Amino acid sequence: MSAEAAPAAPRRSRFIDRGSSIGLLLVAMPVFLLAWLIIFPIFSVVVGTIFVRGADGATELSLASYRFFFSDRYSLSNLWVTLWTTAVCGILLLAIGLPIALYLRFSQGRLSAYVQAVAIFPMFVPSIILAYALIRTIGPNGTVDLLLNAVGLPKLRTPYLTPWGPVIGLVWDNLPLTVLMLTAGLSSVPNSAIEAARDVGARPLRIFVSIILPRMGNSLLVTASFAVLGIFSAFTLPYVLGPASPEMMGPFMQRTFADMNNPLDAMTQAVITFGICLVFGIFYVRSIARSRETRP
């Protein structure tokens, strides 16, 4: 019996080694593409903004482009508008998406299915179509203005071409993903815990604060990170709906590169934007690592 079982261990070891080799081969190509198309361009741009060609054509170490950005009032105002828009959109997304996710998680029936369909519908609408739909709705002489004029009310002060224009568009555009991620996070809340709390007389607010919210900390962090990364790097909606000055970093980089023909400053703006987004990316990676560590 023991003689027959002895060769089983080396055979299992060879099987594990073969499976590990196949797994490494399967991930080799995606990792190579990731390094080639994402990591290498990032390092190339960072190095290109630090080592620049001088007047004599020689490459030299220089931080002049970064000093210009952080000393230029217009560049700082664009960065501030981007940070403000991202913060406002993130707060509004959580304030709107969390109640919808709670309703979808704990409600059943045809009405909840309709609510879910309406909440997810913007995911299938391209950003450019959404932008022009908002212009025709809340823009000057849009549908809202026509309806207000028909009943004798004053005209709407349109948010179009103001900092609130991109906020409305970005919240509408990112709401489906926010709702889906929060709903997925709520699925980890067991019904037995909620029913037990109700049996002892806990009210809905107490259930939310003491049972639901502590289990959603990781989901809220991941959702906020995705929202910030998507909003901070947005281009179409801020370009179409936002003001010409100040502008968000996406349109600002495009105009600096194409209209002003200044690749160095555009790359500097991209590196600064990437540095800010990297902070939220680290939060996301850490939250994913923590969730894997807590798995049984």
Side-chain angles (χ1 to χ4, degrees):
M1 185 71 179
S2 59
E4 294 179 358
R11 190 178 305 151
R12 180 180 300 176
S13 178
R14 289 196 300 269
F15 178 77
I16 294 175
D17 293 339
R18 184 180 302 174
S20 301
S21 302
I22 295 175
L24 290 175
L25 290 176
L26 290 175
V27 302
M29 183 57 67
V31 171
F32 171 75
L33 292 176
L34 176 66
W36 179 36
L37 299 177
I38 298 179
I39 298 178
F40 174 74
I42 291 174
F43 281 102
S44 177
V45 170
V46 173
V47 172
T49 57
I50 298 177
F51 295 94
V52 298
R53 289 188 178 181
D56 56 353
T59 302
E60 57 184 14
L61 177 65
S62 175
L63 299 177
S65 59
Y66 292 94
R67 288 195 296 267
F68 172 77
F69 181 91
F70 288 106
S71 62
D72 181 50
R73 182 176 299 179
Y74 183 69
S75 299
L76 292 177
S77 64
N78 291 336
L79 179 61
W80 164 250
V81 167
T82 305
L83 292 172
W84 177 85
T85 303
T86 303
V88 172
C89 290
I91 294 172
L92 290 177
L93 282 172
L94 292 178
I96 298 173
L98 186 56
I100 296 176
L102 288 170
Y103 174 78
L104 295 178
R105 170 63 177 83
F106 299 106
S107 297
Q108 297 179 353
R110 184 174 298 178
L111 181 59
S112 62
Y114 291 150
V115 172
Q116 184 177 10
V118 172
I120 299 177
F121 175 74
M123 181 179 292
F124 306 99
V125 180
S127 298
I128 188 66
I129 296 178
L130 172 62
Y132 283 103
L134 290 175
I135 293 174
R136 296 302 302 167
T137 303
I138 60 177
N141 300 320
T143 304
V144 176
D145 268 350
L146 295 177
L147 294 176
L148 293 177
N149 185 42
V151 296
L153 295 176
K155 290 175 64 67
L156 171 71
R157 186 176 179 181
T158 176
Y160 176 52
L161 298 182
T162 70
W164 286 101
V167 170
I168 297 174
L170 290 170
V171 169
W172 180 258
D173 191 39
N174 290 273
L175 186 60
L177 182 60
T178 302
V179 172
L180 289 176
M181 296 183 68
L182 291 177
T183 305
L186 285 169
S187 63
S188 63
V189 180
N191 292 330
S192 58
I194 298 176
E195 293 174 358
R198 289 174 178 172
D199 292 338
V200 298
R203 295 185 177 181
L205 182 59
R206 173 57 62 183
I207 294 175
F208 174 74
V209 173
S210 301
I211 298 178
I212 297 177
L213 198 57
R215 296 174 180 268
M216 288 194 61
N218 187 57
S219 298
L220 290 173
L221 183 59
V222 171
T223 303
S225 299
F226 265 92
V228 168
L229 294 175
I231 294 169
F232 205 93
S233 59
F235 172 77
T236 302
L237 292 172
Y239 181 78
V240 177
L241 300 176
S245 176
E247 54 191 344
M248 291 184 63
M249 293 300 294
F252 183 37
M253 284 185 281
Q254 191 275 339
R255 188 175 59 82
T256 303
F257 181 82
D259 298 344
M260 301 179 63
N261 194 21
N262 193 341
L264 178 59
D265 285 348
M267 289 191 299
T268 303
Q269 297 160 13
V271 172
I272 294 172
T273 302
F274 171 74
I276 297 174
C277 294
L278 182 62
V279 176
F280 295 93
I282 293 174
F283 287 150
Y284 168 72
V285 173
R286 289 187 61 184
S287 63
I288 295 298
R290 287 179 180 177
S291 64
R292 289 189 176 184
E293 291 177 356
T294 56
R295 288 180 183 176

